Amino acid sequence: MSARTLPLLFLNLGGEMLYILDQRLRAQSIPGEKARKDEWTDVDRKRVMNDIISTMFNRKFMEELFKPQDLYSKKALRTVYDRLAHASIMRLNQASMDKLYDLMTMAFKYQVLLCPRPRDILLVTFNHLDAIKDFISDSPGILNQVDETFRRLIETYNPLSDGEFQLIRQTLLIFFQDMHIRVSIFLKDKVQNSNGRFVLPISGPVPWGTEVPGLIRIFNHKGVEVKRAEFTTAGNYVTPQREGSFELYGDRVLKLGTNMYSVTRPVETHMSGSSKNLASQAKENIAPNPLAKEELNFLARLLGGLDIQKPAGGESGFRLNLFTTDEEEEHAAQTRPEELSYKVINIEATQEPARRAELSRILGELDVAEPRPGSAEKGEDLLALMDGL
């Protein structure tokens, strides 16, 4: 497992979350002069996007995120996104949050699968950050935060070898391997089968720095080419014209990670049979994991860096529905397997007994991934860390 995977996973999933929220907020926006008090306006949309992006790229949070560390369970990361999505006046019901997370994860999983080279995962990340900068182009302060993260990415990942990027890609694929949610956009474009598995193309550009397949060269012991043989391939391959830019500004060339919701169309998610089977397996294994303290330390550090601003005064949050109607949202909440619906973990740290009781409850809920053999506990004082939440 790569200790450098977490920032790429978080930023790409966060980028997909912002694409979806922007699309849904635009679809539900009412012109300001016609809107009632409980209806969305474009001003509200910009405020939500600014608040979430500002929280997401908070300097303290980014410092914690970029520290070398292993990936943990899906439930831990989902908790971070729950809190991030509610960093503004927007409020999502459980079913809408489930759907949002499903769309985020399946979109990024597809992008990782399609990356021509493991190093191109960084270009996918840059595409997400380029689009995020467009969302907040009129907010120079937040734009500065994103640019700072951009520079941190370049400094951290550009020097890595191809082998290290391959390890990052394998870590991401292991994280996504049991997730087979069907998404209507992918089904309509015939890039996903009815069982939720993706269809990978056998044609198109080859990775930068490689040649179009179809030629075998044979060399002697001195490294001199002595023979050539050609063969026919099933795909139609082409050589890429140039490599994408790994700098702060530039043409990424690769289109993976760009906003697929820029053309408005309805997006639905459905559980595949394999995912339902996984849910039933998860139900059988509900014993508390003794290594859950490691998970809570991870959550405490990340969530402690999120500076969530509550609505001022008596201002109530606006509700956003990711479904077409309220009835569809209710039905989705009732039919989704309970084991696949992630509850928001709220930690009250005002009194010592209450904290210990809350932590004990969470220890039984967290689905913790085993650390690598030989890895030591990080040793932070858990209760002290929770004080920052």
Side-chain angles (χ1 to χ4, degrees):
M1 181 180 288
S2 172
R4 290 291 185 188
T5 306
L6 182 61
L8 298 181
L9 178 62
F10 174 80
L11 291 171
N12 284 288
L13 287 179
E16 289 299 321
M17 180 179 77
L18 291 167
Y19 290 165
I20 297 162
L21 293 179
D22 180 70
Q23 190 269 339
R24 293 306 299 160
L25 288 168
R26 287 180 185 274
Q28 296 185 25
S29 288
I30 306 293
E33 65 277 3
K34 298 181 181 178
R36 299 193 307 267
K37 189 176 180 180
D38 60 341
E39 291 180 323
W40 287 102
T41 67
D42 199 54
V43 173
D44 295 324
R45 177 187 63 80
K46 288 181 179 179
R47 177 181 170 185
V48 168
M49 299 298 286
N50 284 0
D51 287 349
I52 293 177
I53 294 171
S54 176
T55 304
M56 180 176 170
F57 290 92
N58 174 276
R59 178 179 292 182
K60 182 182 175 184
F61 180 62
M62 285 293 121
E63 286 173 357
E64 291 293 341
L65 189 72
F66 272 82
K67 290 179 181 177
Q69 54 196 305
D70 289 345
L71 285 188
Y72 290 82
S73 72
K74 298 175 179 68
K75 184 172 286 188
L77 287 177
R78 166 60 191 268
T79 301
V80 176
Y81 287 110
D82 270 318
R83 186 157 178 176
L84 186 61
H86 294 92
S88 185
I89 56 174
M90 180 185 68
R91 295 295 173 262
L92 293 171
N93 283 353
Q94 184 67 43
S96 285
M97 190 65 218
D98 286 337
K99 179 176 179 178
L100 174 63
Y101 191 69
D102 288 343
L103 290 171
M104 291 158 50
T105 52
M106 294 309 290
F108 184 46
K109 177 182 179 179
Y110 184 55
Q111 292 157 16
V112 174
L113 287 170
L114 284 189
C115 269
R117 305 173 299 173
R119 182 175 293 274
D120 289 335
I121 291 172
L122 193 52
L123 290 178
V124 174
T125 311
F126 287 172
N127 274 335
H128 280 114
L129 265 64
D130 286 340
I132 289 172
K133 288 168 68 173
D134 287 339
F135 289 142
I136 40 95
S137 57
D138 55 351
S139 303
I142 308 175
L143 202 55
N144 245 358
Q145 291 178 250
V146 180
D147 278 341
E148 189 175 327
T149 300
F150 231 126
R151 295 185 185 95
R152 196 187 294 263
L153 279 168
I154 293 170
E155 180 184 334
T156 303
Y157 291 96
N158 275 4
L160 298 188
S161 67
D162 291 338
E164 288 171 303
F165 272 107
Q166 175 64 8
L167 187 57
I168 288 173
R169 183 174 185 270
Q170 288 175 342
T171 305
L172 288 170
L173 291 176
I174 290 169
F175 180 84
F176 289 124
Q177 67 180 345
D178 295 325
M179 304 179 74
H180 306 295
I181 311 297
R182 291 176 294 163
V183 178
S184 61
I185 285 181
F186 294 139
L187 292 169
K188 289 172 184 175
D189 292 344
K190 301 189 185 302
V191 298
Q192 191 179 32
N193 290 325
S194 57
N195 61 3
R197 297 182 183 274
F198 287 110
V199 179
L200 301 183
I202 58 170
S203 297
V206 296
W208 175 259
T210 63
E211 297 181 7
V212 172
L215 178 65
I216 300 173
R217 295 186 181 92
I218 300 173
F219 298 84
N220 63 17
H221 66 284
K222 295 181 179 179
V224 178
E225 183 180 328
V226 296
K227 187 179 179 182
R228 289 190 173 196
E230 295 184 355
F231 63 94
T232 305
T233 61
N236 181 22
Y237 301 100
V238 295
T239 305
Q241 294 182 347
R242 61 191 182 283
E243 185 180 24
S245 171
F246 287 88
E247 301 303 322
L248 183 60
Y249 303 101
D251 183 3
R252 313 301 174 193
V253 178
L254 194 71
K255 298 305 178 187
L256 296 173
T258 54
N259 192 350
M260 68 176 178
Y261 305 98
S262 52
V263 178
T264 304
R265 47 181 174 171
V267 185
E268 298 300 331
T269 57
H270 310 277
M271 296 300 301
S272 66
S274 56
S275 294
K276 290 177 181 176
N277 292 336
L278 284 169
S280 61
Q281 292 170 15
K283 193 171 184 179
E284 296 170 5
N285 185 22
I286 57 174
N289 191 318
L291 295 172
K293 179 177 177 179
E294 189 82 6
E295 184 85 323
L296 284 173
N297 283 337
F298 164 72
L299 275 178
R301 291 197 316 278
L302 283 183
L303 296 181
L306 285 175
D307 184 17
I308 306 297
Q309 299 295 329
K310 294 183 179 180
E315 185 180 30
S316 59
F318 283 82
R319 176 173 167 262
L320 180 67
N321 185 356
L322 264 70
F323 294 82
T324 308
T325 64
D326 290 347
E327 290 73 18
E328 284 184 23
E329 187 180 49
E330 270 181 47
H331 177 71
Q334 293 168 0
T335 56
R336 184 178 178 89
E338 184 179 349
E339 296 77 18
L340 293 172
S341 292
Y342 302 84
K343 297 177 181 177
V344 179
I345 298 177
N346 294 313
I347 300 172
E348 295 293 340
T350 52
Q351 296 179 357
E352 188 81 5
R355 284 189 292 180
R356 294 192 181 280
E358 185 69 4
L359 291 176
S360 298
R361 180 184 66 78
I362 297 169
L363 286 174
E365 291 183 358
L366 288 173
D367 174 23
V368 184
E370 296 287 332
R372 291 180 297 178
S375 64
E377 287 195 13
K378 297 178 176 62
E380 290 89 349
D381 183 342
L382 183 62
L383 294 179
L385 284 168
M386 287 301 176
D387 282 334
L389 294 179

